[in-house]
Amino acid sequence: LIAYDKLRYRLLPYIYSLAWRVTSDDYTIMRPLIMDWRTDEKVREIGDQYMFGPSILVNPVTQEGATSRAVYLPSSAGWYDFWTGERLPGDVRIVASAPLDRIPLYVKAGSIVPLGPEVEYATEKSTAPVVLRIYRGADSNFNLYEDEGDTYDYEKGAHSIIPIHWNESTATLTIGDREGKYPGMPVTHSFRLVLVGKDRGAGAAMDETGVDLQYNGSAVSTVLR
């Protein structure tokens, strides 16, 4: 339970950005598979798997004593096992390992997932970099949303969005010009760019190695190999 609580805090940049999409775009965070794969007949009767935002496929284990479960990975450029970094194809059925402390999670290829530092409460300040995990396989975009965190001033426009784009063909990550501002907004950001692979950028570990990048609000690009 503690491990998943810590994972939830690490995922706050992802979750908070999606919450903004709910406010601004009427987005739905928890998505039955039929919402994203409307023409795939295989997903129509699946009621125990769901997408958490655009990237993370969640597969709850509901059978007492089970240590594995059947999972359908819908058609896509591929899927990454969140816990191991192993890449799998799309449009396949697998049996996923599900020990007591691990719910099967898969991340869609062509995703950027931001993770924050390990903190004990949502507004705790940290100088650790925001990790951008890049799941290769297709072009991808993510808008990182930020605001003061404790007021309703975002309704008056006090917030910022940092657009992030991955170009698969050139292996280039671009962090675009920051849009908007809010009181107390940090002048610079530290990012750590991680290309996910087998045993790299996997799980909730904090000791991720990657390319560190300082961002001052102006567009910057870097090639990752």
Side-chain angles (χ1 to χ4, degrees):
L1 291 176
I2 292 174
Y4 278 97
D5 195 41
K6 290 181 177 180
L7 176 58
R8 180 257 182 183
Y9 277 111
R10 287 216 65 200
L11 281 169
L12 273 181
Y14 180 75
I15 296 170
Y16 205 59
S17 297
L18 296 182
W20 168 247
R21 289 187 62 184
V22 173
T23 298
S24 63
D25 303 329
D26 294 326
Y27 185 70
T28 302
I29 297 179
M30 188 173 176
R31 310 167 63 81
L33 301 188
I34 194 66
M35 289 183 70
D36 291 355
W37 288 273
R38 300 182 184 184
T39 62
D40 187 346
E41 294 184 0
K42 299 185 184 72
V43 308
R44 293 180 182 176
E45 302 302 322
I46 295 178
D48 61 350
Q49 299 178 231
Y50 63 90
M51 292 298 293
F52 186 64
S55 302
I56 302 175
L57 175 63
V58 183
N59 309 279
V61 180
T62 58
Q63 181 178 346
E64 182 178 0
T67 57
S68 64
R69 65 149 291 169
V71 169
Y72 175 60
L73 300 177
S75 178
S76 74
W79 294 89
Y80 289 79
D81 186 320
F82 175 82
W83 302 108
T84 67
E86 179 185 5
R87 184 171 174 177
L88 300 168
D91 193 19
V92 297
R93 299 184 188 275
I94 64 170
V95 176
S97 177
L100 182 61
D101 62 346
R102 182 172 294 184
I103 185 173
L105 300 174
Y106 293 88
V107 183
K108 187 169 63 174
S111 292
I112 300 168
V113 177
L115 289 94
E118 189 174 289
V119 295
E120 295 185 0
Y121 54 92
T123 56
E124 181 180 346
K125 303 301 181 183
S126 174
T127 59
V130 172
V131 174
L132 300 179
R133 287 188 181 176
I134 301 151
Y135 295 83
R136 297 198 63 173
D139 291 351
S140 53
N141 296 283
F142 191 87
N143 287 330
L144 183 64
Y145 172 86
E146 296 179 322
D147 61 23
E148 294 173 90
D150 59 358
T151 76
Y152 286 96
D153 288 346
Y154 69 89
E155 296 178 342
K156 305 172 186 176
H159 60 264
S160 73
I161 294 174
I162 300 174
I164 306 169
H165 174 72
W166 170 256
N167 185 304
E168 177 68 15
S169 63
T170 62
T172 301
L173 184 84
T174 299
I175 304 178
D177 292 326
R178 179 162 46 198
E179 303 166 9
K181 60 182 179 179
Y182 58 91
M185 185 177 73
V187 176
T188 62
H189 258 304
S190 296
F191 289 104
R192 179 163 295 160
L193 317 180
V194 178
L195 289 178
V196 175
K198 179 67 173 175
D199 298 322
R200 185 177 70 248
M206 291 291 297
D207 57 344
E208 295 171 282
T209 58
V211 175
D212 288 335
L213 180 69
Q214 292 296 312
Y215 172 76
N216 63 9
S218 298
V220 60
S221 297
T222 187
V223 175
L224 301 174
R225 300 293 185 186

